[in-house]
């Protein structure tokens, strides 16, 4: 099994910085890092070889315009969401600036669109070889904690924790891109929850985004966690497929977002598995 | 507008009661007539005339005032008797015409007929108003900041053509799989097969901001002609062809059934799944990497190159025309401006030039709202994908072949909020213009 190693310097600001992207081959560091309770399972028996993506091999530097950088940045985005996301914090990478590996990331809360200054460094491994194995991400960030969404999160939590008025919704955003203000936190929660799947399913030949929350239903609060069933549509850019997943999601301000169950849905009733026959 | 004033002056006076018994019969007819008109929500004035009296004495004023009070002839005074300085205008119902004119002559009151048949004038005015509404719809009242159905877009296109008859024509280039007409708007100031620029939007139906941008752009070209020096000079020597709905069946399906529908709606023999990815169906590296052999796949390339009628219609037009110099296809999302090739990562012969044209265009785009785009060949910037349109057009010799991926970068993705349509279209227009100007200035 080979490894492709990317080192990404993720800058959480819209201001230009000067980090450089480097790629190392050969033995990588031991993968052991601070994980969110329900994040991606660790791979075992890590072998390190010098196998790298052709693009990277020739230049030694990731071209920020070309797709490997973008796919890698998106994976880091998914990771950050599993780690730091909430109904009031949905993280997006906006662009990879030319000439460097800098990735500008917007952090949004309910009332203001803000950018958080600070630095985040990440290491990303795409395992290669047979068998689907999730990418390994190691990242630590300072800046994200500067965005204070605690008050909104707490209010939202208290509002929905009593089980006498369970919420549900569908088609978020609707066909016209509209999201009802009351539905926005549930949309964002769906996006964060989807990040767990998107991170797990990512490899060098994928680029995932959540296309839409098809529907969600709140379940009874259990162990102080808000609980939801979600049906989300993921868009995979390289195959152009829309992939349906059902998720069982919990959240509280303390525990963060957790995804307890995931279930892949068939693309259509008469299809078998979602087609994966792209050459 | 002068004609609008007339309509407002008409009073509904049909239901005044008659004053003498012998008129009851006539009055009954009048009442019935008025009721029928009211049922149609429209009063009719067939044969009614509007006469103008040039008052010459106080005595005449008194007479006319008396006439105004009397309801016998059902006169409708548009300008009332005031003094000898101002004329008196009277609408006379057709049934009262002879009697009224006799009366006026008997009293030596001079008059002239201003309107000899009021209904005729009203009909003309109505037709003109409808025409105005249509062209207003095409320029002012049409909401460019909203997503519209196919029917609405098609009818808007007719309005645009009607409003700019010396610049815009609509040509049917064929039909879709399900029989819907495919229309191209041609912007031309004359000539015969002038060097031309092609722009298409909506080939992938779920990318709604693409079609919406096509609509906005068509309107922009029409309104900028004559006011924007650069565009006007371009249209002196070149034509622009704009195919707004390149995949009409898919577009309708994305409205009625599945918002995420991408492909055509053709039936695939032996499969329950419909549709072919129209941007894997072109004869450029057909069937190669980046396209699927599975009819259920969203990137299914189809049974053979140009098997999709939507693709074939464009192929036929481009080949028959023979003089396109640029081919630009508009997609969404990812914020990219790309040039060939998609089916191979080997550089196209003109890659360096296309890259530089792209960078200049993207700079113009960003200048409006700060939106950032990446520039590169399809294969390097997004993925290897065979059977794409701009690869085919480039290999045909249409050097300036480009593909846009519009907003955004994934947060909303295909379901971009409608309030971003106009910002997206406006910034994209700057890039399009930049490319078109370059094409104009680099003839080959």
């Amino acid at each position: 099994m080979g490894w492709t190693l990317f080192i990404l310097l993720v800058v959480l600001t819209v201001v230009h910085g000067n980090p450089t992207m480097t790629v190392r081959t050969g033995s990588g560091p031991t993968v052991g890092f601070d994980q969110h309770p329900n994040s991606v399972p660790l791979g075992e028996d890590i072998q390190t070889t010098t196998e790298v993506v052709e693009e990277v091999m020739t230049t030694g530097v990731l071209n920020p315009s070309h797709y490997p950088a973008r796919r890698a940045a998106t994976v880091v985005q998914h990771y950050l969401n599993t780690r730091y996301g909430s109904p009031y914090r949905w993280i997006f990478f906006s662009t990879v600036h030319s000439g460097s590996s800098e990735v500008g990331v917007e952090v949004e809360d309910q009332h203001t669109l803000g950018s958080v200054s600070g630095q985040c460094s990440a290491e990303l491994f795409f395992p290669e070889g047979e068998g689907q194995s999730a990418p390994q991400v190691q990242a630590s960030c300072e800046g994200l904690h500067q965005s204070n969404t605690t008050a909104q999160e707490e209010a939202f939590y208290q509002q929905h924790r009593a089980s006498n008025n369970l919420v549900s919704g569908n088609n978020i955003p609707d066909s016209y891109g509209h999201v009802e203000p009351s539905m926005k936190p549930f949309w964002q929660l769906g996006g964060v929850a989807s990040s767990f799947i998107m991170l797990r399913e990512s490899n060098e030949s994928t680029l995932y985004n959540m296309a839409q929350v098809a529907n969600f239903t709140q379940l009874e609060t259990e162990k102080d966690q808000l609980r939801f069933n979600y049906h989300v549509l993921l868009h995979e850019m390289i195959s152009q497929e829309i992939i349906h997943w059902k998720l069982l999601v919990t959240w509280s301000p303390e525990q963060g977002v957790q995804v307890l169950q995931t279930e892949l849905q068939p693309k259509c009733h008469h299809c078998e598995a979602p087609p994966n026959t792209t050459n | 507008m002068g004609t609008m004033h007339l309509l407002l002056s008409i009073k509904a006076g049909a239901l005044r009661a008659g004053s003498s018994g012998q008129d009851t019969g006539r009055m009954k007819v009048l009442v019935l007539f008025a009721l029928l008109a009211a049922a149609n929500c429209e009063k009719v004035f067939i044969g009614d005339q509007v006469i103008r009296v040039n008052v010459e004495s106080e005595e005449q004023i008194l007479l006319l005032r008396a006439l105004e009070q009397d309801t016998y002839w059902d006169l409708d005074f548009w300008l009332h008797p005031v003094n000898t300085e101002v004329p008196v205008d009277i609408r006379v119902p057709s049934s009262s015409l002879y009697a009224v004119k006799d009366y006026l002559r008997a009293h030596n009151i001079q008059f002239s007929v201003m309107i000899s048949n009021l209904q005729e004038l009203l009909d003309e005015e109505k037709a003109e108003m409808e025409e105005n509404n249509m062209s207003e719809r095409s320029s002012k009242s049409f909401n460019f900041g909203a997503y519209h159905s196919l029917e609405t877009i098609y009818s808007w296109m007719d309005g645009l053509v009607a409003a700019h008859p010396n610049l815009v024509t609509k040509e049917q280039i064929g039909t879709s799989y399900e029989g819907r007409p495919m229309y191209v708007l041609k912007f031309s100031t004359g000539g015969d097969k002038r060097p031309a620029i092609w722009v298409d939007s909506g080939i992938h139906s779920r990318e709604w901001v693409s079609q919406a941008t096509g609509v906005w752009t068509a309107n922009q070209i029409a309104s900028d002609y004559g006011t924007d020096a650069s565009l006007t000079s371009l249209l002196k020597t070149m034509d622009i062809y704009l195919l707004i709905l390149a995949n009409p069946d898919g577009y309708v399906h994305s409205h009625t059934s599945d918002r995420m529908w991408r492909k055509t709606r053709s039936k695939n023999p032996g499969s329950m799944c419909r549709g072919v990815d129209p941007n894997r169906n072109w004869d450029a590296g057909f069937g190669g990497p980046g396209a699927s052999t599975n009819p259920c796949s969203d990137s299914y390339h189809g049974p053979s190159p140009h098997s999709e009628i939507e693709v074939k219609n464009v192929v036929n037009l481009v080949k028959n025309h023979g003089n396109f110099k640029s081919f630009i296809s508009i997609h969404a999302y990812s914020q990219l401006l790309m040039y060939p090739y998609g089916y191979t990562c080997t550089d196209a012969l003109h890659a360096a030039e296309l890259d530089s044209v792209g960078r200049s265009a993207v700079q113009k785009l960003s200048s409006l709202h700060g939106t950032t785009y990446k520039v590169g060949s399809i294969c390097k910037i997004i993925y290897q994908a065979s059977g794409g349109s701009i690869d085919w057009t480039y290999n045909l010799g249409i050097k300036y072949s480009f593909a846009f991926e519009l907003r955004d970068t994934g947060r909303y993705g295909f379901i971009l909020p409608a309030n971003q349509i106009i910002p997206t279209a406006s910034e994209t227009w700057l890039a399009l213009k930049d490319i078109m100007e370059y094409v104009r200035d680099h003839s080959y």
Side-chain angles (χ1 to χ4, degrees):
Chain A
M1 193 155 66
W3 290 94
T4 304
L5 167 61
F6 293 98
I7 295 179
L8 276 176
L9 211 57
V10 178
V11 180
L12 294 172
T13 174
V14 295
V15 175
H16 283 255
N18 288 306
T20 52
M21 176 113 70
T22 56
V23 177
R24 291 198 317 256
T25 62
S27 55
T30 314
V31 182
F33 48 93
D34 174 39
Q35 284 192 71
H36 195 276
N38 198 51
S39 71
V40 175
L42 279 174
E44 293 171 341
D45 292 326
I46 299 157
Q47 294 173 24
T48 57
T49 69
T50 58
E51 190 173 329
V52 293
V53 177
E54 163 203 288
E55 163 87 19
V56 168
M57 176 103 87
T58 49
T59 62
V61 176
L62 271 178
N63 184 327
S65 275
H66 293 180
Y67 64 74
R70 190 145 157 264
R71 291 180 199 176
T74 307
V75 174
V76 174
Q77 170 192 305
H78 297 322
Y79 172 80
L80 291 174
N81 276 310
T82 63
R83 196 80 182 77
Y84 300 107
S86 82
Y88 286 87
R89 181 181 290 137
W90 195 15
I91 299 167
F92 283 93
F93 108 87
S94 53
T95 184
V96 182
H97 296 289
S98 62
S100 73
S101 65
E102 185 179 300
V103 177
V105 176
E106 292 171 22
V107 175
E108 180 171 308
D109 63 33
Q110 197 194 20
H111 297 292
T112 61
L113 185 73
S115 61
V116 180
S117 64
Q119 283 213 348
C120 199
S121 65
E123 290 183 358
L124 169 59
F125 299 86
F126 282 124
E128 290 174 45
E130 311 94 43
Q132 184 80 326
S133 186
Q136 306 300 315
V137 185
Q138 179 175 358
S140 61
C141 305
E142 318 162 352
L144 272 169
H145 299 296
Q146 287 180 23
S147 156
N148 193 351
T149 54
T150 322
Q152 287 120 333
E153 287 175 15
E154 195 54 45
F156 177 79
Y157 176 66
Q158 293 304 332
Q159 181 189 359
H160 292 287
R161 150 185 208 173
S163 296
N164 56 351
N165 191 15
L166 301 176
V167 194
S168 65
N170 63 328
N171 291 333
I172 310 166
D174 69 12
S175 289
Y176 307 92
H178 175 71
V179 177
E180 274 300 298
S182 63
M183 288 288 114
K184 194 164 170 193
F186 300 105
W187 176 45
Q188 307 206 133
L189 178 59
V192 171
S194 295
S195 300
F196 286 82
I197 302 175
M198 297 193 287
L199 176 63
R200 192 180 70 197
E201 300 292 313
S202 287
N203 57 52
E204 283 159 281
S205 303
T206 61
L207 196 145
Y208 279 99
N209 284 294
M210 183 183 78
Q212 190 183 42
V213 171
N215 61 63
F216 78 93
T217 312
Q218 185 180 6
L219 308 170
E220 300 272 332
T221 300
E222 227 176 72
K223 295 179 193 166
D224 293 330
Q225 305 299 303
L226 301 188
R227 280 159 57 95
F228 304 89
N229 272 331
Y230 266 86
H231 179 158
V232 296
L233 307 183
L234 305 185
H235 173 230
E236 201 291 290
M237 184 75 73
I238 282 71
S239 64
Q240 289 294 346
E241 294 298 334
I242 300 291
I243 306 167
H244 295 240
W245 284 88
K246 284 197 170 159
L247 326 171
L248 178 58
V249 182
T250 67
W251 176 76
S252 71
E254 268 176 29
Q255 300 295 320
V257 178
Q258 298 192 39
V259 175
L260 303 186
Q261 284 173 33
T262 65
E263 190 185 300
L264 179 63
Q265 303 298 298
K267 173 171 178 161
C268 40
H269 297 299
H270 43 267
C271 301
E272 294 145 20
N276 191 17
T277 50
T278 306
N279 300 338
Chain B
M1 254 188 288
T3 45
M4 287 295 290
H5 164 79
L6 269 175
L7 239 181
L8 295 167
S9 305
I10 292 167
K11 300 172 215 172
L15 294 174
R16 291 179 211 147
S19 53
S20 75
Q22 73 202 112
D23 299 310
T24 326
R26 192 159 62 91
M27 282 310 292
K28 275 185 188 159
V29 171
L30 264 175
V31 168
L32 183 64
F33 189 67
L35 280 174
L36 281 173
N40 290 330
C41 299
E42 240 178 59
K43 191 163 159 43
V44 286
F45 304 93
I46 300 169
D48 291 8
Q49 290 189 350
V50 177
I51 62 177
R52 170 159 286 186
V53 175
N54 291 304
V55 186
E56 286 163 348
S57 68
E58 276 297 323
E59 197 195 336
Q60 287 186 351
I61 300 272
L62 292 171
L63 271 168
L64 289 166
R65 280 197 187 137
L67 214 54
E68 203 179 359
Q69 298 307 311
D70 194 329
T71 58
Y72 182 77
W73 282 321
D74 199 22
L75 299 178
D76 180 15
F77 279 69
W78 286 12
L79 287 177
H80 303 278
V82 176
N83 55 43
T84 54
E85 310 288 323
V86 291
V88 176
D89 288 347
I90 313 168
R91 178 182 62 84
V92 183
S94 57
S95 51
S96 309
L97 268 175
Y98 276 121
V100 168
K101 286 178 180 175
D102 277 350
Y103 176 87
L104 292 174
R105 280 187 212 111
H107 287 86
N108 276 323
I109 298 177
Q110 305 290 332
F111 66 89
S112 58
V113 175
M114 284 212 315
I115 301 171
S116 58
N117 185 343
L118 183 57
Q119 190 57 42
E120 222 172 72
L121 192 67
L122 290 174
D123 290 343
E124 267 172 42
E125 182 186 48
K126 190 173 170 191
E128 196 188 318
M129 264 174 66
E130 270 174 19
E131 234 180 83
N132 285 343
N133 275 345
M134 262 195 23
S135 64
E136 263 206 5
R137 243 178 258 128
S138 77
S139 54
K140 287 178 208 162
S141 55
F142 184 87
N143 185 1
F144 294 99
Y147 295 111
H148 296 289
S149 68
L150 177 142
E151 290 75 22
T152 304
I153 293 175
Y154 276 8
S155 103
W156 171 84
M157 279 167 57
D158 288 337
L160 187 76
V161 170
H164 304 272
N166 295 325
L167 179 68
V168 194
T169 51
K170 183 180 88 171
E171 283 180 24
Q172 181 166 349
I173 68 169
T175 60
S176 67
Y177 179 85
E178 289 176 337
R180 297 184 172 86
M182 286 181 66
Y183 295 124
V184 135
L185 291 177
K186 180 182 169 188
F187 298 82
S188 177
T189 59
D192 180 39
K193 283 197 182 153
R194 283 182 177 167
I197 295 167
W198 170 276
V199 179
D200 67 70
S201 56
I203 195 170
H204 289 136
S205 35
R206 61 190 179 200
E207 301 166 3
W208 282 14
V209 73
S210 164
Q211 296 92 332
T213 293
V215 170
W216 185 96
T217 304
N219 183 64
Q220 192 66 20
I221 297 172
S223 33
D224 265 8
Y225 176 70
T227 53
D228 179 298
S230 179
L231 182 77
T232 307
S233 96
L234 187 146
L235 284 166
K236 277 199 171 71
T237 55
M238 299 187 79
D239 294 342
I240 301 173
Y241 283 71
L242 183 41
L243 173 63
I244 294 175
L245 294 180
N247 180 3
D249 297 348
Y251 191 59
V252 171
H253 195 73
S254 71
H255 276 266
T256 58
S257 303
D258 180 358
R259 178 61 180 80
M260 297 293 163
W261 190 261
R262 166 182 169 90
K263 303 187 287 181
T264 62
R265 289 293 297 163
S266 55
K267 293 200 178 102
N268 293 309
S271 173
M272 295 284 290
C273 295
R274 286 174 79 142
V276 166
D277 184 338
N279 208 30
R280 301 288 184 276
N281 188 243
W282 299 69
D283 196 4
F286 178 85
S292 174
T293 54
N294 184 339
C296 296
S297 166
D298 258 332
S299 58
Y300 174 50
H301 53 55
S304 58
H306 306 170
S307 61
E308 300 312 282
I309 188 173
E310 294 84 357
V311 169
K312 193 77 172 106
N313 290 334
V314 176
V315 165
N316 287 342
L317 183 142
V318 168
K319 279 165 89 166
N320 292 337
H321 185 282
N323 207 18
F324 279 98
K325 299 300 178 189
S326 176
F327 187 97
I328 301 169
S329 190
I330 300 181
H331 297 250
Y333 58 95
S334 289
Q335 292 174 204
L336 306 168
L337 177 49
M338 302 175 289
Y339 47 84
Y341 289 111
Y343 70 87
T344 171
C345 280
T346 309
D347 277 345
L349 190 63
H350 307 97
E353 183 190 2
L354 295 176
D355 195 83
S356 133
V357 173
R359 282 180 198 289
S360 163
V362 150
Q363 211 175 16
K364 294 273 167 24
L365 186 154
S366 308
S367 70
L368 195 61
H369 297 297
T371 309
T372 56
Y373 268 59
K374 294 273 177 277
V375 179
S377 75
I378 296 171
C379 186
K380 289 186 182 160
I381 210 176
I382 197 169
Y383 44 51
Q384 192 173 9
S386 57
S389 63
I390 73 167
D391 286 356
W392 178 80
T393 57
Y394 180 80
N395 283 345
L396 198 64
I398 302 173
K399 191 185 348 172
Y400 300 113
S401 292
F402 290 96
F404 279 84
E405 292 278 1
L406 302 181
R407 293 193 193 182
D408 60 7
T409 52
R411 182 148 180 259
Y412 287 93
F414 299 121
I415 31 187
L416 194 72
N419 63 17
Q420 289 200 42
I421 295 174
I422 294 176
T424 302
S426 329
E427 65 193 10
T428 306
W429 173 236
L430 300 182
L432 281 172
K433 258 209 305 186
D434 196 57
I435 296 172
M436 294 200 291
E437 284 160 10
Y438 186 92
V439 175
R440 173 198 66 199
D441 298 338
H442 294 80
S443 56
Y444 61 96

